[in-house]
């Protein structure tokens, strides 16, 4: 295992980064020094749906293959899928080790080989039973494979980076103008946006630095807006969401095709995706709705960010409805003393001193 000196820069970055994007950028640079690699994907995860969310970044990878990458995560059985590593009780990191049979891996054949990669090390950043991020590291075929020491380093950083990503989910949302209504886009089987309304344009520009193309008249032209364009920022969470929707339609996945994420200004958004009727293949078109998240959408991830137990959440939800201690005890079949103990513990975790302040922190600020 790497010495503590190798972990200190990671811990320092996690403690000092002021935004999630800054966190991933700094951690990425430190990882390159500790675990040399030639390409990487970094992404935060929604702990409930285990989908890629914001922030995300890629280093020296082919943007044109991102649809392939996320389709493989949703449609193919392969070793070390992010959703498998994210589950509690599983190792938080592993190599793609198939020996002479490595050609049987769809990810190796369709994503790694076209880019000249011969080895992969991937992991998730997990705190308790919740996964808050994931990383995939790649090395050229000409270089030695990742070692057991590299693997242990990724595992050793898992909890620290997870806690840092989790802490950013607690940040209050700013009071800034929002689009008037929901945004709608339709993504076809090639990764091109073929239909969108005006609110969708606004949402997309707040989410990712994508230079949407315009016609000579100055109107955004979606028939040429290809998400795979190598010159544009690649919204990897959108690819993951679209792939999940196709997998749900095909009966391969049952987790919802929905995603909570924060835009560039820190506002919470909710994205819902559904495959267009007529096809359930990985080439099916998918409709995506983008809108401002409701309190009920954000409450679970915010409470998870404070490491609240299921029982603590039930007590808080009852308190948020205005129930008294006695009423909460009756509703949840516990004693008033136990209710007060749960509230005291939650106050300490959230850093508040009253029910009103608790509700305002967990719900009002987001």
């Amino acid at each position: 295992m790497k010495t503590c000196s190798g972990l200190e820069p990671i811990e320092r970055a996690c403690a000092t980064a002021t935004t999630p994007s800054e966190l991933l950028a700094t951690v990425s640079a430190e990882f390159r020094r500790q675990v040399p690699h030639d390409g990487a994907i970094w992404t935060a995860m929604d702990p409930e749906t285990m989908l890629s969310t914001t922030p995300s970044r890629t280093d020296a990878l082919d943007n044109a293959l991102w649809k392939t990458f996320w389709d493989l995560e949703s449609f193919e059985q392969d070793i070390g899928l992010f959703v498998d590593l994210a589950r509690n009780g599983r190792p938080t990191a592993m190599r793609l080790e198939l020996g002479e049979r490595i050609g049987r891996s769809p990810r190796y054949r369709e994503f790694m080989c076209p880019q000249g990669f011969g080895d992969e090390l991937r992991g998730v950043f997990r705190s308790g039973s919740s996964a808050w991020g994931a990383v995939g590291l790649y090395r050229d075929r000409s270089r030695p494979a990742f070692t057991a020491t590299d693997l242990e380093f990724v595992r050793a950083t898992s909890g620290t980076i997870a806690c840092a990503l989790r802490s950013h989910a607690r940040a209050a949302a700013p009071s800034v103008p929002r689009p008037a209504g929901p945004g709608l886009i339709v993504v076809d089987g090639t990764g091109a946006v073929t239909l969108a309304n005006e609110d969708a344009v606004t949402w997309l520009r707040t989410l990712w630095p994508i230079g949407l193309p315009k016609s000579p008249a100055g109107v955004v032209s979606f028939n040429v807006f290809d998400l795979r364009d190598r010159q544009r920022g690649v919204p990897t969470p959108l690819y993951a969401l679209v792939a999940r929707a196709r997998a749900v339609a095909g009966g391969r996945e049952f987790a919802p095709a929905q995603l909570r994420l924060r835009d560039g200004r820190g506002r919470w958004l909710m994205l819902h995706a559904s495959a267009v009727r007529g096809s359930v293949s990985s080439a099916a078109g998918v409709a995506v709705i983008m809108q401002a998240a409701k309190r009920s959408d954000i409450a679970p991830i915010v409470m998870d960010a404070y490491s609240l137990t299921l029982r603590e959440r039930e007590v808080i939800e009852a308190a948020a409805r205005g129930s008294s201690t006695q009423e909460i005890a009756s509703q949840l079949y516990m004693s008033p003393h136990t209710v007060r103990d749960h509230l005291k513990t939650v106050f300490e975790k959230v850093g508040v001193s009253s029910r009103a302040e608790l509700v305002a922190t967990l719900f009002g600020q987001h």
Side-chain angles (χ1 to χ4, degrees):
M1 180 183 293
K2 293 278 184 180
T3 64
C4 291
S5 61
L7 299 176
E8 287 174 358
I10 300 295
E11 295 169 349
R12 186 165 54 252
C14 290
T16 59
T18 58
T19 66
S21 295
E22 179 187 340
L23 171 66
L24 287 192
T26 307
V27 167
S28 172
E30 293 297 338
F31 259 64
R32 189 171 290 278
R33 283 188 277 271
Q34 296 295 328
V35 185
H37 52 273
D38 302 297
I41 173 175
W42 297 83
T43 183
M45 294 180 74
D46 184 320
E48 183 175 5
T49 62
M50 291 183 282
L51 280 172
S52 169
T53 184
T54 52
S56 62
R57 62 176 287 125
T58 60
D59 297 326
L61 296 179
D62 188 346
N63 291 350
L65 291 175
W66 283 119
K67 178 182 180 299
T68 299
F69 181 91
W70 290 110
D71 281 347
L72 292 173
E73 289 289 314
S74 295
F75 281 88
E76 298 290 344
Q77 291 298 317
D78 209 338
I79 185 172
L81 297 177
F82 285 142
V83 69
D84 292 330
L85 292 175
R87 293 192 173 99
N88 195 24
R90 303 289 183 90
T92 56
M94 66 186 305
R95 285 184 56 233
L96 182 63
E97 292 185 282
L98 295 174
E100 295 179 355
R101 300 176 299 153
I102 195 168
R104 295 185 181 182
S105 164
R107 190 163 68 250
Y108 178 79
R109 294 195 312 268
E110 300 178 37
F111 181 74
M112 293 171 60
C113 269
Q115 300 180 82
F117 297 130
D119 199 32
E120 177 198 59
L121 193 166
R122 57 168 47 192
V124 295
F125 307 125
R126 198 170 64 208
S127 176
S129 60
S130 299
W132 291 89
V135 62
L137 306 176
Y138 300 90
R139 278 185 181 167
D140 288 341
R141 282 192 292 263
S142 61
R143 300 185 60 181
F146 291 106
T147 65
T149 300
D150 297 327
L151 184 62
E152 286 303 320
F153 180 81
V154 176
R155 288 178 177 170
T157 62
S158 176
T160 301
I161 298 175
C163 288
L165 288 169
R166 184 182 65 187
S167 68
H168 287 288
R170 305 173 188 169
S175 298
V176 292
R178 295 179 175 180
L184 167 67
I185 65 173
V186 175
V187 182
D188 70 13
T190 69
V193 175
T194 58
L195 178 69
N197 64 2
E198 287 300 319
D199 284 315
V201 176
T202 304
W203 285 123
L204 285 170
R205 283 177 169 151
T206 64
L207 282 168
W208 297 289
I210 299 173
L212 302 181
K214 295 184 178 181
S215 68
V219 179
V220 174
S221 176
F222 284 96
N223 61 336
V224 295
F225 173 30
D226 191 342
L227 295 179
R228 300 171 302 165
D229 193 323
R230 299 165 187 258
Q231 304 303 316
R232 308 190 201 282
V234 178
T236 56
L238 186 57
Y239 276 129
L241 180 67
V242 168
R244 170 69 61 82
R246 290 175 179 140
V248 169
R252 296 171 178 264
E253 180 60 69
F254 299 98
Q258 58 187 35
L259 183 62
R260 298 163 296 195
L261 72 170
R262 308 189 85 160
D263 67 9
R265 297 183 180 183
R267 300 173 297 185
W268 283 101
L269 280 67
M270 193 72 179
L271 275 62
H272 302 267
S274 179
V276 176
R277 298 187 69 175
S279 175
V280 295
S281 71
S282 62
V286 172
V288 180
I289 298 291
M290 296 172 281
Q291 58 190 1
K294 297 178 292 186
R295 185 173 69 180
S296 58
D297 297 326
I298 300 308
I301 195 171
V302 172
M303 288 192 282
D304 201 356
Y306 283 101
S307 301
L308 302 184
T309 67
L310 176 60
R311 208 55 166 163
E312 290 167 351
R313 297 181 192 202
E314 292 173 340
V315 170
I316 292 170
E317 289 166 359
R321 293 193 295 268
S323 300
S324 66
T325 298
Q326 189 64 48
E327 289 170 336
I328 296 174
S330 177
Q331 293 167 16
L332 301 180
Y333 302 100
M334 61 177 65
S335 71
H337 177 72
T338 302
V339 172
R340 285 190 287 269
D341 282 346
H342 281 310
L343 285 172
K344 180 181 178 182
T345 301
V346 172
F347 287 173
E348 293 174 351
K349 288 182 177 180
V350 180
V352 296
S353 58
S354 69
R355 292 193 189 192
E357 190 178 359
L358 174 66
V359 172
T361 300
L362 292 180
F363 302 112
Q365 291 184 1
H366 296 272

